[in-house]
Amino acid sequence: MPTAVRDHTVIAWLHEAQAAVTGRADYLTQLDAAIGDGDHGINMTRGFDAVGKALAAQGAETPPGRLLVLAGKTLVSTVGGASGPLWGSALRAAGRSLGDAVDVDGSQLAAALDAALAAVVDLGAAQPGDKTMVDALTPATAALRERLSAGGSIAEAVSAAAEAAEAGARATTPMQARKGRASYLGERSIGHQDPGATSAALIIRALQTAVTQAG
Ligand code: ADP
Ligand code: MG
C-alpha cells in the first residue's frame, strides 16, 4: 500500500476524475436540470477535459502541488458555471498547501484537502446543510483525518473519505438549497440530490481509485 502520494498519483487522480465526470455527465446534468440550469455535467466535463490537456503538456516529475495549481487555474479559465471557480480555487489551494513537496504523506494530504474545502467556503460562503458540494467535502475531509489519526494508511483514509463524500451527497436530497441557483427554488429544491455534491463525491472516489492503483 502507498505511504505517499506522488506526481503520478495526482495525474492518475485527475484523469480518473475526468473519466468519472464524463461517464456521469448526463446524470449530473439531469440533477442540475431538476434544481438548476442543466449544465453541470457539461461544465465538469469541459473543465476536466481541459485539465487533462494541460497536464499532458507538463514535463515529467512536476511536484503534486504544482500539478494541482495548474489544474485549478485551468478549471477557473474554462468553466463558466459556479463549479469552475469553486473547484478551481479548491485545487489551487490544495496545490499551494503542498508547495513543492515531492512525496506527500497522509498529514500533508489531509492539510491539502482541508485547504481545498476552506477555499470553497471562502469563495462560496456555503455551510454544511446548504445543499452544495460542501456537504460532500466536509464529511470527506473529516473522515480522512479521523482514519489517519486512528493509524490508518493513506489508502484506508481516502477510502473512508470517498464513502463519506458519497453519503454526504446522498444526504443533500432532503435539504433545502440555501446557496447557488438551486436556492432560487426555495422549498422546491427539496427532494433532489445536489449535482455539485454528487460530482464532488465522484472526484473524491477518483482520488481513492488513483491511490489504490498507485499501491
Ligand atoms: P451553475 O450553478 O452556475 O450552473 P454548476 O451547475 O456547474 O454551476 O454547479 C452547480 C453546483 O455548484 C451546485 O450543485 C452546488 O453544489 C455548487 N454551488 C453553487 N453555489 C455554491 C456555493 N456558493 N458554495 C458551494 N457550492 C456551490
Ligand atoms: Mg448549473
Side-chain angles (χ1 to χ4, degrees):
M1 275 297 138
T3 54
V5 167
R6 304 202 59 186
D7 53 348
H8 62 266
T9 321
V10 171
I11 290 171
W13 173 25
L14 296 169
H15 283 140
E16 284 293 331
Q18 179 188 4
V21 298
T22 304
R24 306 305 300 276
D26 287 349
Y27 175 56
L28 295 173
T29 286
Q30 276 168 29
L31 293 176
D32 195 34
I35 58 169
D37 57 355
D39 63 356
H40 190 59
I42 296 160
N43 287 341
M44 296 301 284
T45 301
R46 181 189 300 133
F48 277 88
D49 279 351
V51 167
K53 291 198 179 85
L55 292 179
Q58 274 302 290
E61 309 205 350
T62 307
R66 287 182 184 261
L67 292 171
L68 289 171
V69 169
L70 173 66
K73 285 184 179 162
T74 305
L75 289 177
V76 170
S77 62
T78 53
V79 181
S83 52
L86 289 164
W87 269 109
S89 307
L91 294 187
R92 277 190 318 204
R96 278 198 304 270
S97 136
L98 295 178
D100 282 334
V102 174
D103 289 305
V104 172
D105 66 15
S107 70
Q108 288 170 307
L109 179 64
L113 287 194
D114 284 350
L117 172 59
V120 169
V121 172
D122 253 20
L123 185 61
Q127 293 303 314
D130 286 350
K131 198 181 182 93
T132 70
M133 61 173 76
V134 168
D135 292 304
L137 294 175
T138 302
T141 56
L144 186 94
R145 269 197 188 284
E146 261 167 44
R147 194 57 63 95
L148 287 172
S149 56
S153 66
I154 290 185
E156 288 165 343
V158 293
S159 177
E163 273 160 37
E166 287 159 3
R170 286 193 298 272
T172 61
T173 302
M175 293 175 185
Q176 177 172 337
R178 282 191 288 261
K179 285 283 181 285
R181 276 178 205 282
S183 66
Y184 308 155
L185 291 180
E187 288 183 2
R188 282 181 296 137
S189 64
I190 294 172
H192 304 275
Q193 189 166 311
D194 179 60
T198 307
S199 60
L202 292 176
I203 290 166
I204 303 297
R205 176 60 69 188
L207 173 62
Q208 187 262 326
T209 305
V211 166
T212 307
Q213 281 167 359

